[in-house]
Amino acid sequence: MHKILMIEDDTATRDALERHLSRWGYQVRAAKNFQNILEQLEAFHPHLVLLDISLPFFDGYYWCRQIRHASQVPILFLSSAGDDMNLVMAINLGADDFIPKPFRIEVVLAKIQAVLRRTYSFGMQQSLVQYGDVSLNPCEGKVWREDTLVELTRNETRILQVLMEARGGIVTRESIIKSLWEDESFVDDNTLTVNVARLRKKLEQLGLQSFIGTQKGIGYFVRAKL
């Protein structure tokens, strides 16, 4: 049974999510004290965290940073502040996805299921992926070139793997979305754009400023020679 830690101070939202998720077989624990989130995380060892932005004492961004320092547990943001700025902020801090309020419970369930599948099932037996002088370890989420290594999030790892396995061929945005979330109807297309931008920025640390190319209106590809 997968365990979910819910960090949400709105009682109605918290109770509704806890009720529905429990029906789907998840063990849900709602944070009661919003000053010691890390202690609750360590005690519960959740497989996934649902995190609101507006919280007492410290906001969700603060706790996302703290959680990321301590754990790689998947984080899904839930927030009424669903504008692009908050989406970008959440992804840049290491969140796996962002669900704006109000939301449909079916959407929340689909995103939770997709994140859990790709975190705890996908890539467990994946071997090293290489393209040109770039190497990627999908299991560990690490990419390197020569003697420089960069760590990636799960989304960044999956995007890069799909592109590298295409061997320079163009991969459509729809194909990448399906690979990440399995059903594009539940995905904000902007989320993919943010993840690709973040991945490109990390690849710059390897001297790969133009490794990921864009085919306008279609998708992305990787270049063997830079």
Side-chain angles (χ1 to χ4, degrees):
M1 178 184 292
H2 285 112
K3 299 187 293 184
I4 297 176
L5 177 63
M6 183 165 42
I7 308 171
E8 167 66 69
D9 66 329
D10 181 78
T11 304
T13 301
R14 185 175 64 226
D15 292 347
L17 281 171
E18 189 168 6
R19 183 171 63 253
H20 284 288
L21 293 176
S22 296
R23 288 175 181 171
W24 278 80
Y26 296 107
Q27 183 182 348
V28 184
R29 179 176 296 181
K32 302 299 183 183
N33 186 326
F34 296 97
Q35 291 182 287
N36 66 345
I37 296 299
L38 290 184
E39 287 84 348
Q40 296 175 73
L41 181 81
E42 183 177 353
F44 188 45
H45 295 294
H47 297 93
L48 182 141
V49 172
L50 290 177
L51 178 61
D52 194 7
I53 293 178
S54 299
L55 295 168
F57 305 108
F58 302 99
D59 65 18
Y61 294 139
Y62 170 83
W63 286 118
C64 186
R65 292 188 191 94
Q66 298 304 309
I67 292 171
R68 273 292 163 264
H69 286 313
S71 171
Q72 287 300 309
V73 62
I75 298 174
L76 295 186
F77 267 98
L78 298 171
S79 178
S80 56
D83 56 273
D84 289 349
M85 183 180 70
N86 283 288
L87 168 64
V88 171
M89 176 72 78
I91 298 299
N92 283 340
L93 289 175
D96 292 80
D97 212 333
F98 188 102
I99 306 173
K101 298 178 183 178
F103 51 75
R104 290 185 293 130
I105 190 64
E106 294 87 354
V107 173
V108 178
L109 285 168
K111 285 182 176 280
I112 287 174
Q113 290 166 355
V115 168
L116 290 174
R117 276 194 294 269
R118 71 174 182 263
T119 302
Y120 300 105
S121 299
F122 171 78
M124 294 307 293
Q125 298 179 349
Q126 294 291 326
S127 58
L128 193 69
V129 180
Q130 293 183 299
Y131 187 62
D133 61 352
V134 181
S135 301
L136 172 71
N137 185 323
C139 297
E140 298 182 4
K142 296 178 179 178
V143 59
W144 63 93
R145 184 189 188 203
E146 297 176 350
D147 59 349
T148 305
L149 180 147
V150 173
E151 294 189 359
L152 307 176
T153 66
R154 280 171 292 276
N155 286 352
E156 294 161 359
T157 299
R158 184 56 175 148
I159 291 169
L160 186 57
Q161 181 177 359
V162 169
L163 293 177
M164 289 176 65
E165 289 179 342
R167 314 300 297 172
I170 298 170
V171 183
T172 66
R173 293 177 62 87
E174 292 76 13
S175 295
I176 298 174
I177 287 172
K178 286 181 179 180
S179 179
L180 283 169
W181 292 278
E182 301 183 11
D183 187 344
E184 69 272 23
S185 65
F186 291 116
V187 177
D188 182 344
D189 188 66
N190 194 37
T191 304
L192 176 59
T193 301
V194 172
N195 275 278
V196 171
R198 180 179 170 88
L199 174 58
R200 280 173 163 156
K201 189 171 184 63
K202 287 189 176 181
L203 291 174
E204 289 178 3
Q205 301 175 44
L206 303 178
L208 299 171
Q209 285 83 354
S210 57
F211 186 57
I212 298 178
T214 300
Q215 185 67 34
K216 189 174 181 180
I218 300 177
Y220 304 98
F221 60 94
V222 290
R223 298 182 173 94
K225 296 182 179 180
L226 305 177

